[in-house]
Amino acid sequence: MRKTVSGVELMTLYQSLADRLQVLIRDQVYPVGSRLPGVRVLAEQQQVSVSTAVNACRELEQRGVLEARPRSGYYVRQPPVVREAPRVTTASRRPRRITGQERVLQILQSVNNPSVVNLGAAVPAPEYMPVATMERMFHSVLREERRRCVGYAFPPGAPELCTQVARRLAGLQCEVSPEDVLITNSCQESVAIALKLTTQPGDTVAIESPTYYGLLQVIDSLGLKALEIPTDPVEGISLEALTLALERWKVSACVVVSNFSNPLGVRLSDARKQALLALLSKHKVPLVEDDIYGDLPLSGPRPRPVKSWDKNGLVYYCSSSSKTLSAGLRVGWLVAPERHREKAQHLQFINTVSVATPSQLVLARYLERGHYDRFLRQLCAEHARGVVRMTERVTQLFPQQTRVSRPAGGFVLWVELPGEVDTTELMEKALEAGVSFAPGSLFSASGKFANCLRLNCAVKWDNRVEQALVTLSRLL
Ligand SMILES: Cc1ncc(COP(=O)(O)O)c(C=O)c1O
């Protein structure tokens, strides 16, 4: 049973442990047929009570993941159906202007329509956000800093926030000082500024394929061309294809979501991150690193960004608080190499003069007070649970040959449907039926992935969501 407080469902401790264990099982830490440690050992390892460990194992038994063998313990069962990962696409033949992005705003607008179940935009439901703590922080900031709150906080931004961002990056082995940090309105703005610093209209940018549609829009708005590099749903951007592309074309910048990309949820391994940096260094191509999902691993520690290996100022590091604490704060950050520090500040100033001062101060205070890491642990466990649940429902409801991604982090699922289906057409019908999803072609500069779709797993799981998935499956 789920506990509820003021009508909001809370996950119990044993469910959260069950989710963590399920991710470990999915990631082969405990492969099929292996025995889980005994409940006492498990309790000690996971720092929970023995009864929580017992309940977690029972929950996994119910979910069909574990099997109890009398006087022997819990064993990992063969999962009933394992969907294959989506296929890797072929490379673009040439750099090209972006097409087909007109529908994005329509999908995003549906997020604000209460009668539509949002499986489309990658926005966590408010139940996932620390709403009450944020409210307290806003109150205290408005009370204690009221004179600052009514004024601008010109670039580079509020000094206490620059310090907090630099400290977090230092914890990820990045050599970044507070002076290196520029506060922006969002990760999207950070990426746009980084591309303005590194390209001229008409230039070519190498990107992952599939990639986040907001990036495609930035590339388009700056008059740039995209060169789509095939991206493996497990390993990430193909370094072999990128090597060939760099030899063939003049590429001015490369944009990569290094940890838990959108939509595939891929984490580049440390070795591949270093190889990517070496390859780009060799060709003197700057890397715009979007690390917006880096704090959201579904299991294991927070991975390092490529920036942490950057000794020669090649990486433009971009992130924000949109996917973790609040998309509504509208606060992001950019760490540009020192030679571009001033120009980056100037570009941000031209864009919006200043980022909202109260938002900056609230975020700085939230990080300063040490709330963030504790919150992230709960959040990642929730996302692990949501991804497992969405995968299960898609596997049960969607056609048999459907392929499903296995994200290592973040909270979206990439689904490849069999046959000739066009998910852009499907979306119109789905929206009429009160369900949104993101059609696959939005994730390509050239209309690839028409038979794919992306689902947001950070939803408040209730009957409406269950019903929405049934509705969607009937439209397929
Ligand atoms: C990879 C990626 N980068 C950037 C963004 C935009 O984030 P922000 O709200 O900080 O602009 C998103 C949002 O979906 C995203 O998925």
Side-chain angles (χ1 to χ4, degrees):
M1 282 292 282
R2 292 194 135 214
K3 289 181 184 163
T4 71
V5 173
S6 325
V8 177
E9 286 190 352
L10 292 177
M11 196 167 43
T12 58
L13 211 54
Y14 79 84
Q15 284 173 316
S16 149
L17 175 60
D19 291 341
R20 285 205 303 278
L21 292 173
Q22 194 162 353
V23 171
L24 293 176
I25 289 165
R26 186 202 67 179
D27 289 349
Q28 306 277 318
V29 176
Y30 298 112
V32 171
S34 68
R35 181 178 169 276
L36 233 59
V39 284
R40 271 170 215 290
V41 176
L42 209 54
E44 216 172 283
Q45 280 175 353
Q46 301 287 333
Q47 302 195 343
V48 294
S49 68
V50 173
S51 69
T52 301
V54 169
N55 285 334
C57 290
R58 286 194 186 136
E59 164 90 7
L60 287 178
E61 202 186 348
Q62 270 183 5
R63 292 186 200 170
V65 176
L66 292 180
E67 153 184 27
R69 295 195 194 151
R71 286 185 296 282
S72 180
Y74 284 98
Y75 287 78
V76 179
R77 287 177 60 165
Q78 182 76 41
V81 189
V82 181
R83 294 289 186 213
E84 281 187 80
R87 277 171 287 223
V88 184
T89 50
T90 50
S92 282
R93 267 194 243 116
R94 57 185 170 79
R96 51 180 303 149
R97 295 300 302 265
I98 313 283
T99 51
Q101 291 290 306
E102 301 76 20
R103 284 214 162 77
V104 173
L105 190 58
Q106 187 190 357
I107 295 167
L108 297 185
Q109 280 165 340
S110 71
V111 175
N112 299 331
N113 179 348
S115 65
V116 174
V117 176
N118 170 40
L119 304 177
V123 184
E127 283 75 10
Y128 289 81
M129 300 298 194
V131 181
T133 320
M134 282 287 168
E135 186 191 338
R136 278 203 310 279
M137 298 275 148
F138 263 105
H139 280 302
S140 67
V141 160
L142 288 173
R143 202 173 43 242
E144 292 160 30
E145 304 268 11
R146 52 174 96 117
R147 296 181 74 84
R148 281 177 83 194
C149 282
V150 293
Y152 295 116
F154 293 115
E160 54 269 70
L161 183 54
C162 295
T163 302
Q164 287 303 320
V165 171
R167 278 192 196 162
R168 287 210 72 82
L169 285 170
L172 297 173
Q173 301 178 52
C174 299
E175 278 174 34
V176 171
S177 70
E179 296 82 65
D180 296 321
V181 177
L182 169 66
I183 303 302
T184 63
N185 275 284
S186 62
C187 186
Q188 177 118 334
E189 188 185 34
S190 304
V191 170
I193 293 175
L195 285 176
K196 278 186 194 164
L197 292 168
T198 51
T199 63
Q200 297 289 329
D203 283 0
T204 295
V205 178
I207 57 170
E208 296 158 281
S209 178
T211 195
Y212 163 57
Y213 45 72
L215 169 62
L216 297 176
Q217 287 167 7
V218 171
I219 290 176
D220 191 30
S221 71
L222 297 178
L224 300 167
K225 285 185 256 174
L227 185 58
E228 298 181 285
I229 308 295
T231 300
D232 184 277
V234 179
E235 304 228 291
I237 188 164
S238 162
L239 297 181
E240 298 71 24
L242 182 61
T243 305
L244 292 177
L246 293 175
E247 281 164 6
R248 170 110 200 259
W249 305 102
K250 184 177 172 339
V251 172
S252 301
C254 175
V255 185
V256 169
V257 182
S258 50
N259 294 312
F260 321 130
S261 60
N262 176 4
L264 290 172
V266 176
R267 166 199 188 280
L268 275 183
S269 67
D270 285 357
R272 291 180 79 82
K273 281 175 183 151
Q274 290 171 77
L276 172 67
L277 189 62
L279 175 62
L280 294 174
S281 280
K282 182 175 156 206
H283 291 267
K284 298 191 174 49
V285 174
L287 173 66
V288 178
E289 180 177 30
D290 178 339
D291 194 26
I292 192 169
Y293 295 100
D295 283 347
L296 298 174
L298 294 179
S299 66
R302 202 274 190 218
R304 281 170 70 172
V306 181
K307 180 76 187 162
S308 65
W309 286 281
D310 178 30
K311 302 293 168 227
N312 301 314
L314 200 72
V315 179
Y316 294 68
Y317 180 86
C318 307
S319 191
S320 83
S321 57
S322 290
K323 306 298 171 185
T324 47
L325 291 172
S326 157
L329 277 182
R330 304 316 294 141
V331 178
W333 44 93
L334 165 67
V335 178
E338 201 181 332
R339 66 184 177 281
H340 270 152
R341 204 196 273 167
E342 263 181 48
K343 195 166 174 202
Q345 293 177 10
H346 195 68
L347 287 171
Q348 204 292 314
F349 177 65
I350 295 170
N351 273 356
T352 57
V353 182
S354 158
V355 176
T357 310
S359 286
Q360 295 192 55
L361 299 182
V362 164
L363 183 57
R365 192 166 284 212
Y366 189 92
L367 296 172
E368 223 169 74
R369 305 256 159 118
H371 296 288
Y372 189 54
D373 288 312
R374 204 173 337 124
F375 165 72
L376 276 182
R377 276 195 292 280
Q378 287 171 14
L379 184 67
C380 292
E382 282 283 0
H383 287 329
R385 186 165 207 279
V387 167
V388 165
R389 195 156 174 182
M390 187 66 88
T391 308
E392 271 172 15
R393 296 306 282 141
V394 168
T395 303
Q396 286 158 0
L397 293 168
F398 284 27
Q400 268 212 347
Q401 305 305 318
T402 301
R403 291 164 174 256
V404 184
S405 63
R406 286 169 215 145
F411 49 85
V412 295
L413 213 60
W414 182 244
V415 178
E416 185 187 318
L417 298 166
E420 292 293 300
V421 53
D422 180 344
T423 54
T424 305
E425 281 168 22
L426 187 68
M427 188 197 71
E428 304 292 343
K429 293 188 202 141
L431 277 178
E432 274 169 34
V435 190
S436 80
F437 64 83
S441 60
L442 293 185
F443 299 83
S444 162
S446 53
K448 290 183 179 133
F449 311 115
N451 62 334
C452 296
L453 56 92
R454 190 196 66 187
L455 296 172
N456 170 27
C457 308
V459 288
K460 182 172 178 281
W461 282 92
D462 55 16
N463 287 342
R464 281 184 79 218
V465 171
E466 292 288 345
Q467 198 46 53
L469 284 167
V470 172
T471 305
L472 197 54
S473 68
R474 289 192 182 139
L475 292 173
L476 296 177

